Amino acid sequence: MLLSATSIVFIICSCNKKQDTSSTPLVHNAAEQTRADSILSSIGGQTKIVKINPSKENNIISKKGIQFSIPANAFVTKDGLKPKGNVQVTISEYHNPADILVSKIPMLYQTKNGAAQMESAGMFSITATAKDEELQLAPNKDIAVQVPSKKSDINFNLYYFDPIANAWVQTVDSLSIDQTEPKAHHAPSGKTSIQIVDAGINVEWSAVEANKRMIDGKVISLVKPDCSYKNTDFNFTVATDNFPELNLYKDLVWIGSANKDDRQVEAAFDNDQFINASIIERETPLNRYLMAFQFRHTKFNAYMKIASKSEACELNEELYLSYYDSRPVDENKIEKIATKAKKSKSQSTIFRSFAINKLGLWNCDRLYVLTAKMNITPRFRSITTGESYESTTTYMIDKKINSVWTFTNNIITLDPDSDNIILFINGKGKICYARLNKLSKTHKEKEINLIIDVEEMEENPDNTEALDKLLQSI
């Protein structure tokens, strides 16, 4: 997926005449806005779906490392009854402007002085259903949550989005932070046996084909690393006391081998009697660990699947390709990956811990006020064809703030000292963008007319991870 040009160019025309910031909004075309919303909604977000046994305590780790500790019997129906059978838990998370933009979650908090922009340090939604019926938390049942973040400031609060009032409600002041990763709960040690417990490593199932290769005189099954996630219905955690080196992969997942397909595995988790699971160490430098599952009527294996950490995936992919192609490992590439991993590790992650007593949308947030303001009346023009564009809704991202501003009139308010990205959906259904870089250097006025030459993405991204990379490159 490529941007239509390698550099961002914009042309500015301004006049010194002050503009009335209360001017009449652009005519809001409902059909155009619905189409634009559907285009954003078609971009896949960070969602994970897990089936759990609600009568037991469950720990779930989201795609991006949010940890949820759900007590036994936490869910009830609207009538207060315990659900029968498995419960499906859906977790969506929003960690960057791309996630927020696609979600269309409002980032305004109503204060007594009016609406204030919100800056997020981690936002998520958690819901639960049983047999397509929405569930709620039982009385006196809380879910413990630990949200990872790169923002170490202590002045972030906790907000809940009230769906009835259609507004954010602050629930906690100044969330506490932990400098170290929360520890998982491990099962008692044994020889090689492990238990399905609240700890350790996630397991997702997706049948893949293993490739046979001769390594050191032995036939070894190699499974290509995979950095992507699937929304599967069978996800749980396992303890790893006997293999402490696997703690390095706590935020990664395992992937099923091809000896059973998705339907057989789903049937085993849903209907069969689980006997045990064990980690098997093999004599191979790649896919060294295998997880073997045994049910009463079926057995299957899972290989380690690399996900979430790009450096880990790159490293394992290079090892895989070297063995698959029977060639030496590219040591220069390995060194570059190690350097990148070291740099990434130096950017320490902190965790905010709290408990929630409702299902729904939650946000670790603080209110943000622009330190300087400039009001812009924009006219958008294609940088390649010169044609004019109109926007029913314009989005703005300040590159130093984890938030998205939304404007539904013909005025854009921004910090002229910041690096800002402007986005909208044009009449062809394409995402258009421009970077407005420190306008204060070229414009001293507080209110200006601006012709903004915009780029058009050749293809709209498939998911928010791809969109985030594109936004970072602008």
Side-chain angles (χ1 to χ4, degrees):
M1 202 173 307
L2 299 174
L3 301 181
S4 57
T6 56
S7 61
I8 309 303
V9 181
F10 61 89
I11 302 174
I12 301 174
C13 273
S14 67
C15 64
N16 293 327
K17 183 180 178 181
K18 297 250 179 180
Q19 300 298 307
D20 181 5
T21 59
S22 62
S23 55
T24 305
L26 293 171
V27 176
H28 194 84
N29 187 314
E32 283 293 306
Q33 185 57 48
T34 300
R35 183 181 58 83
D37 288 345
S38 68
I39 289 170
L40 289 177
S41 298
S42 67
I43 300 175
Q46 302 296 325
T47 298
K48 183 172 186 175
I49 301 173
V50 184
K51 273 187 182 176
I52 64 170
N53 180 346
S55 65
K56 297 181 179 179
E57 183 179 350
N58 289 274
N59 272 18
I60 301 174
I61 304 176
S62 72
K63 289 184 179 182
K64 295 298 181 181
I66 302 178
Q67 299 187 29
F68 299 86
S69 295
I70 303 174
N73 303 310
F75 302 111
V76 293
T77 66
K78 64 181 180 180
D79 298 322
L81 303 176
K82 291 183 180 180
K84 296 180 180 179
N86 288 337
V87 165
Q88 180 170 289
V89 178
T90 301
I91 297 168
S92 298
E93 52 193 321
Y94 318 94
H95 294 280
N96 55 52
D99 295 331
I100 298 170
L101 175 65
V102 168
S103 74
K104 301 186 294 297
I105 292 172
M107 295 299 288
L108 290 175
Y109 179 74
Q110 297 297 328
T111 72
K112 62 181 180 180
N113 297 320
Q117 190 72 21
M118 305 176 79
E119 177 190 3
S120 181
M123 180 165 51
F124 65 88
S125 168
I126 178 169
T127 60
T129 58
K131 294 181 170 46
D132 296 326
E133 181 181 5
E134 289 189 11
L135 303 177
Q136 58 193 33
L137 284 184
N140 302 316
K141 293 288 186 179
D142 294 340
I143 295 177
V145 184
Q146 296 164 326
V147 179
S149 175
K150 296 293 183 183
K151 292 183 176 292
S152 58
D153 309 41
I154 62 171
N155 57 339
F156 280 88
N157 310 315
L158 183 63
Y159 297 82
Y160 170 73
F161 190 80
D162 187 333
I164 298 176
N166 195 35
W168 289 102
V169 178
Q170 184 176 334
T171 62
V172 178
D173 284 325
S174 300
L175 289 168
S176 61
I177 61 174
D178 299 314
Q179 296 292 343
T180 57
E181 184 173 356
K183 295 184 181 299
H185 307 288
H186 293 292
S189 296
K191 195 69 176 173
T192 56
S193 164
I194 59 176
Q195 301 175 22
I196 305 299
V197 294
D198 306 317
I201 299 175
N202 287 335
V203 178
E204 287 187 1
W205 187 265
S206 177
V208 296
E209 191 67 42
N211 297 291
K212 304 292 186 181
R213 284 293 183 274
M214 185 72 72
I215 300 177
D216 297 330
K218 295 187 176 73
V219 177
I220 298 297
S221 297
L222 299 178
V223 177
K224 187 174 183 179
D226 183 352
C227 297
S228 65
Y229 281 90
K230 275 187 59 178
N231 289 336
T232 64
D233 287 336
F234 20 88
N235 180 292
F236 53 88
T237 52
V238 297
T240 60
D241 282 7
N242 300 297
F243 299 93
E245 62 270 30
L246 293 183
N247 287 329
L248 296 172
Y249 301 100
K250 278 193 292 188
D251 59 347
L252 310 186
V253 298
W254 297 63
I255 187 168
S257 64
N259 62 350
K260 291 288 185 296
D261 65 23
D262 290 8
R263 288 170 298 178
Q264 289 174 292
V265 175
E266 184 172 17
F269 279 99
D270 285 347
N271 305 314
D272 206 348
Q273 178 185 349
F274 173 76
I275 298 175
N276 63 34
S278 59
I279 295 177
I280 300 171
E281 186 174 5
R282 306 187 304 157
E283 295 182 14
T284 170
L286 185 63
N287 308 133
R288 183 177 174 187
Y289 297 99
L290 242 162
M291 194 178 296
F293 298 91
Q294 183 177 359
F295 289 79
R296 183 176 180 183
H297 297 105
T298 186
K299 297 179 182 179
F300 53 86
N301 297 325
Y303 293 93
M304 185 174 291
K305 170 187 176 182
I306 301 300
S308 177
K309 289 186 176 179
S310 58
E311 296 84 9
C313 190
E314 290 177 38
L315 177 63
N316 281 268
E317 188 172 53
E318 169 57 26
L319 291 172
Y320 169 85
L321 291 173
S322 67
Y323 289 111
Y324 184 81
D325 297 333
S326 299
R327 64 168 175 81
V329 174
D330 187 339
E331 297 296 343
N332 290 331
K333 187 173 184 178
I334 295 296
E335 185 176 352
K336 288 180 180 179
I337 295 170
T339 301
K340 185 164 65 172
K342 186 176 181 181
K343 183 178 179 181
S344 176
K345 188 176 181 180
S346 66
Q347 301 173 344
S348 59
T349 298
I350 59 94
F351 291 83
R352 289 183 171 84
S353 302
F354 50 90
I356 59 174
N357 58 5
K358 295 179 182 178
L359 300 180
L361 184 60
W362 294 84
N363 197 352
C364 303
D365 220 303
R366 64 183 174 188
L367 304 186
Y368 179 79
V369 178
L370 294 173
T371 54
K373 288 185 179 180
M374 176 183 286
N375 291 320
I376 297 172
T377 302
R379 287 175 56 199
F380 297 114
R381 182 174 65 184
S382 168
I383 197 172
T384 54
T385 67
E387 64 181 307
S388 297
Y389 292 139
E390 288 191 359
S391 170
T392 55
T393 301
T394 305
Y395 305 96
M396 185 192 75
I397 297 170
D398 184 325
K399 296 198 80 170
K400 70 176 184 290
I401 302 298
N402 187 30
S403 190
V404 175
W405 279 255
T406 303
F407 304 100
T408 55
N409 55 25
N410 60 338
I411 300 294
I412 297 174
T413 303
L414 52 73
D415 182 347
D417 297 321
S418 290
D419 292 344
N420 301 290
I421 300 173
I422 304 298
L423 303 104
F424 63 92
I425 310 294
N426 67 13
K428 296 180 289 186
K430 297 292 186 181
I431 298 176
C432 294
Y433 62 91
R435 181 173 178 177
L436 303 183
N437 187 3
K438 292 184 171 54
L439 290 179
S440 59
K441 291 184 177 181
T442 54
H443 293 78
K444 301 304 178 184
E445 304 89 347
K446 298 299 182 183
E447 299 176 3
I448 62 173
N449 288 335
L450 203 62
I451 296 177
I452 304 176
D453 280 349
V454 297
E455 301 273 358
E456 181 183 289
M457 294 185 186
E458 291 182 359
E459 296 180 18
N460 292 337
D462 295 325
N463 53 64
T464 55
E465 289 185 344
L467 178 58
D468 182 50
K469 289 180 180 178
L470 290 174
L471 294 177
Q472 291 185 40
S473 70
I474 296 175

